[in-house]
Amino acid sequence: MAKVPASPDHACTLELKIIPNAPRNEVVGWLGAALKVKIHAPALEGRANDELLAFLAETLGVPRRSVTLLRGDKSRQKVVQITALDAATVRQRLQV
């Protein structure tokens, strides 16, 4: 995870490895530099991306608009940006 300069608020980016069609949404753990996350939604028409962003927002305790997909719209390798939280806080709230 690397810090990304943002406006006055803190922000960080998070590399993810996504597993769609899982039995439930869950953070699995680290896979190298990427955080492995299982998502219940299928990888069709952006449903897995939408559910991923909503799951991360809920897990981190931030509004949905604070979590945005930067790269990997159609890939299992994704990069998301979380505004208003620094990297240490994100790690702590994800409990990984």
Side-chain angles (χ1 to χ4, degrees):
M1 281 185 292
K3 282 188 172 183
V4 174
S7 48
D9 298 326
H10 298 286
C12 74
T13 58
L14 188 61
E15 293 180 36
L16 304 171
K17 165 76 173 169
I18 305 305
I19 308 299
N21 291 319
R24 64 187 168 280
N25 295 335
E26 67 178 315
V27 175
V28 178
W30 292 101
L31 185 63
L35 183 65
K36 187 173 180 181
V37 180
K38 292 183 178 180
I39 295 296
H40 180 69
L44 296 172
E45 301 170 353
R47 287 190 268 174
N49 288 339
D50 292 340
E51 191 162 332
L52 168 68
L53 298 177
F55 171 67
L56 287 174
E58 180 182 335
T59 303
L60 294 169
V62 298
R64 166 60 184 83
R65 69 181 177 274
S66 295
V67 183
T68 54
L69 183 63
L70 296 180
R71 285 193 310 267
D73 185 46
K74 295 185 180 190
S75 170
R76 290 183 182 212
Q77 304 291 334
K78 301 185 185 296
V79 177
V80 296
Q81 181 177 34
I82 299 131
T83 57
L85 296 177
D86 60 19
T89 304
V90 168
R91 279 184 180 262
Q92 179 185 18
R93 291 188 185 182
L94 291 174
Q95 298 176 352
V96 289

